[in-house]
């Protein structure tokens, strides 16, 4: 069972000396990852496995209607992903350009991963956190909904391009539908779409529209549950169960893994999520 494997893996991560030695070897890969390893054990567990506190309620044998998949990256996976997002002389991470229409979008050959979601769901904050190891890259964030008005393209070394899409719903750009729908439909090098959902309110009607677009265009996409630090354990469990049931019964192209992130203000907040983004361009 996926949940049993996660529980066993989490126990081994903090109890087996061999695995702890692997963690120590990863420490030299990234200063940010080294900071992760210095966190108290309980905080480290919560960071690497944000759904661990509710996992016992998600056992597949208790909920036959769920086919749960939990993303469980190894310490090496996390360190490798951190190296992808770390700016160096040989790994340039930079803002490329912005566009309001597809004919203004940069003609890039490398694979792309894009982030979409309702206004103020935390897209730009999450991308800013992913780029925290490249401080020269400016990702503008705002508490005002609808701050992002254009498609923003960021080069991640030789690996892929990250695209920050305007938020839909409240204060969305007037040409949002044409801009985003055209991108999702026509961008041939788009490999994976990360659809962000606010854990406080769950999937809304506007989210359903975005999901329908991904399904119609047969895009591989992933749901990311944001702001989990603002939800109680019971409320978070309710949202996870509802989203998992929604994915299993009403979607075809959505990956069964549900990713959860808390308020993002540094790379430590995305250590568990970074490998998913780094792997997304291979799909």
């Amino acid at each position: 069972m996926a949940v049993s494997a996660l529980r066993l893996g989490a126990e081994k991560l903090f109890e087996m000396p061999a695995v702890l030695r692997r963690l120590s070897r990863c420490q030299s890969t990234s200063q940010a990852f080294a900071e992760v390893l210095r966190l108290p054990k309980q905080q480290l567990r919560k960071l690497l496995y944000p759904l661990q506190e509710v996992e016992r309620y998600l056992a597949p044998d208790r909920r036959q209607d769920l086919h749960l998949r939990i993303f469980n990256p190894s310490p090496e996976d996390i360190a490798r992903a951190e190296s992808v997002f770390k700016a160096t002389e040989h790994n340039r991470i930079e803002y490329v350009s912005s566009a309001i229409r597809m004919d203004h979008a940069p003609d890039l050959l490398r694979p792309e991963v894009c982030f979409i979601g309702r206004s103020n769901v935390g897209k730009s904050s999450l991308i800013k956190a992913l780029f925290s190891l490249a401080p020269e890259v400016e990702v503008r964030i705002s508490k005002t909904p609808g701050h992002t008005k254009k498609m923003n393209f960021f080069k991640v070394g030789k690996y892929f391009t990250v695209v920050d899409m305007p938020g839909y719903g409240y204060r969305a750009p007037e040409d949002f539908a044409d801009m985003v729908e055209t991108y999702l439909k026509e961008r041939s090098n788009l490999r994976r779409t990360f659809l962000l959902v606010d854990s406080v309110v769950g999937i809304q009607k506007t989210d359903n529209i975005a999901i329908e677009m991904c399904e119609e265009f047969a895009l591989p996409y992933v749901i990311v549950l944001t702001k989990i630090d603002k939800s109680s354990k019971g409320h978070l469990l309710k949202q996870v169960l509802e989203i998992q049931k929604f994915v299993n019964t009403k979607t075809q192209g959505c990956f069964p893994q549900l990713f959860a992130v808390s308020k993002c203000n540094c790379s430590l907040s995305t250590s568990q999520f970074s490998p998913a983004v780094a792997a997304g361009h291979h799909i």
Side-chain angles (χ1 to χ4, degrees):
M1 294 293 185
V3 175
S4 298
L6 173 65
R7 186 179 293 110
L8 179 60
E11 291 172 354
K12 288 182 177 180
L13 178 62
F14 296 100
E15 293 177 3
M16 292 182 61
V19 178
L20 292 176
R21 286 195 294 271
R22 286 166 52 206
L23 281 166
S24 297
R25 287 197 297 271
C26 293
Q27 189 169 359
S28 61
T29 304
S30 162
Q31 181 179 356
F33 191 63
E35 292 180 27
V36 171
L37 300 182
R38 287 196 290 267
L39 291 173
K41 183 184 295 186
Q42 185 175 2
Q43 188 176 353
L44 182 57
R45 284 186 178 183
K46 188 173 182 179
L47 177 67
L48 296 180
Y49 306 99
L51 295 179
Q52 188 181 49
E53 292 185 348
V54 299
E55 61 166 327
R56 64 192 180 94
Y57 300 102
L58 303 174
D61 55 348
R62 297 184 184 182
R63 293 296 303 268
Q64 296 298 324
D65 57 331
L66 298 181
H67 303 286
L68 183 66
R69 298 291 186 276
I70 296 180
F71 186 59
N72 187 17
S74 69
E76 291 85 357
D77 291 333
I78 296 173
R80 193 178 304 115
E82 290 275 329
S83 68
V84 169
F85 286 100
K86 183 177 182 179
T88 66
E89 181 181 353
H90 303 291
N91 188 51
R92 295 185 60 185
I93 299 177
E94 57 189 353
Y95 163 79
V96 178
S97 66
S98 299
I100 58 174
R101 296 197 308 268
M102 277 300 297
D103 55 357
H104 291 171
D107 186 14
L108 303 172
L109 298 178
R110 62 177 55 85
E112 291 183 356
V113 295
C114 78
F115 290 74
I116 63 176
R118 291 190 307 113
S119 297
N120 206 33
V121 74
K123 286 186 296 78
S124 298
S125 295
L126 180 54
I127 293 174
K128 184 178 180 66
L130 287 170
F131 289 156
S132 62
L133 297 180
E136 69 281 0
V137 177
E138 183 180 5
V139 181
R140 296 181 179 179
I141 60 175
S142 173
K143 294 182 179 180
T144 304
H147 178 75
T148 302
K149 299 294 185 182
K150 303 178 181 179
M151 299 180 287
N152 298 312
F153 296 79
F154 300 88
K155 172 185 174 184
V156 182
K158 62 181 180 180
Y159 302 103
F160 53 92
T161 301
V162 167
V163 185
D164 182 12
M165 306 295 284
Y168 49 78
Y170 179 63
R171 297 193 65 179
E174 293 182 1
D175 52 355
F176 169 84
D178 179 63
M179 182 194 313
V180 175
E181 183 174 354
T182 303
Y183 172 85
L184 295 176
K185 183 177 181 179
E186 299 182 0
R187 198 66 167 178
S188 60
N189 54 338
L190 176 61
R191 293 294 180 266
R192 184 175 295 182
T193 297
F194 291 93
L195 195 157
L196 277 60
V197 173
D198 191 328
S199 67
V200 177
V201 297
I203 296 177
Q204 301 291 293
K205 290 182 179 179
T206 47
D207 295 316
N208 276 309
I209 295 174
I211 291 170
E212 289 172 2
M213 284 195 293
C214 290
E215 292 286 331
E216 179 182 353
F217 304 143
L219 299 175
Y221 64 103
V222 179
I223 291 181
V224 181
L225 200 59
T226 66
K227 306 180 183 179
I228 63 171
D229 53 306
K230 294 186 177 181
S231 295
S232 65
K233 187 186 300 184
H235 183 74
L236 179 60
L237 173 62
K238 177 177 179 290
Q239 294 294 354
V240 170
L241 289 173
E242 289 182 354
I243 290 174
Q244 287 293 338
K245 185 174 182 179
F246 178 89
V247 170
N248 291 334
T249 59
K250 298 185 179 181
T251 71
Q252 296 292 326
C254 186
F255 279 73
Q257 295 91 346
L258 176 64
F259 296 94
V261 294
S262 60
K263 182 179 179 180
C264 297
N265 52 20
C266 65
S267 66
L268 305 187
S269 301
T270 57
S271 293
Q272 200 265 2
F273 180 62
S274 297
V277 182
H281 71 287
H282 292 299
I283 302 301

